[in-house]
Amino acid sequence: MTARLRAAIVALVAALGCGLLGSSVSEKPPEGIDLAGRALAGHAARVALVFTASCWWYVLVTLGIVAIGFAIAVPAWRARVIFSVATTLVAWQASDAIKNVFARSRPEYWVLHHETSWSYPSGHAMFAVVVYGLWSYYFATSDVPRPWRCILSAGCAVWAIGVIWSRLALGAHFVTDLIGGVLFGLTMLATAAAIAGGVPGLGARAKAG
């Protein structure tokens, strides 16, 4: 099975999961794990706001500019950066569009920051996968010196988890919104990989310089 076919299968499964979950939860009041998730709202809200802010547009644009500058300086990373930036931009627009399809209202118990866009799927959870999750993989498969490779990869992975947690701590999303966002992020990454013939760098380490 080729890398392109594997990626296409992952994209299809993740997209179906995202769509079926969205259709299930957007047409009825929250229940089950969505109600249970409310228990996290308000805990460490100031810390949660930092994680949430890392996916606001001006932070993402700044990170994109830094990545492009890095790619110009270090040619070995150019394919990865192009893949990352292009996928993020497309996923960003697609996320806004798909929210209008499901039109799910947000929780009413928001903390610190009130967001008025639709709730499903979570754009922050999608960015956690497409940006921080992808870069965790990038660092893990690079030739950055091992201690830094471990720190950077683990740091990005932990940050991705922190972003997802923050949406519950701020009362911005239901649990199923976050699951849907992760599935949507996987859909976007896998679709991009299917188009590109795989994730750049898979099976080969990118050098630090």
Side-chain angles (χ1 to χ4, degrees):
M1 185 182 296
T2 65
R4 179 172 278 124
L5 180 56
R6 287 194 298 269
I9 291 172
V10 172
L12 178 60
V13 172
L16 286 173
C18 180
L20 290 173
L21 179 60
S23 297
S24 173
V25 300
S26 63
E27 298 176 357
K28 60 184 179 182
E31 58 185 23
I33 59 173
D34 283 337
L35 293 179
R38 181 169 184 171
L40 294 178
H43 292 278
R46 297 289 179 184
V47 175
L49 189 59
V50 173
F51 282 107
T52 278
S54 70
C55 291
W56 287 347
W57 72 267
Y58 53 84
V59 175
L60 294 175
V61 169
T62 300
L63 291 175
I65 292 172
V66 171
I68 291 170
F70 181 64
I72 292 172
V74 186
W77 283 77
R78 287 178 185 171
R80 292 184 174 203
V81 170
I82 291 171
F83 182 89
S84 174
V85 171
T87 303
T88 300
L89 289 173
V90 173
W92 195 336
Q93 297 305 309
S95 176
D96 289 343
I98 198 172
K99 282 178 182 286
N100 293 325
V101 173
F102 296 106
R104 188 186 196 188
S105 298
R106 289 183 183 264
E108 298 178 354
Y109 46 85
W110 59 273
V111 180
L112 292 181
H113 184 69
H114 186 204
E115 300 188 43
T116 58
S117 61
W118 297 117
S119 193
Y120 185 95
S122 166
H124 275 75
M126 179 271 292
F127 284 129
V129 173
V130 171
V131 178
Y132 298 106
L134 178 60
W135 277 89
S136 175
Y137 161 77
Y138 278 175
F139 287 125
T141 58
S142 74
D143 272 347
V144 173
R146 183 177 176 81
W148 281 108
R149 185 165 74 240
C150 294
I151 291 171
L152 292 171
S153 179
C156 286
V158 170
W159 198 270
I161 294 170
V163 168
I164 294 171
W165 159 79
S166 75
R167 308 310 284 156
L168 295 176
L170 295 177
H173 282 290
F174 298 109
V175 174
T176 48
D177 296 334
L178 300 171
I179 296 173
V182 169
L183 289 171
F184 188 69
L186 289 173
T187 300
M188 292 292 98
L189 279 180
T191 299
I195 294 172
V199 178
L202 185 62
R205 294 187 179 276
K207 297 182 180 298

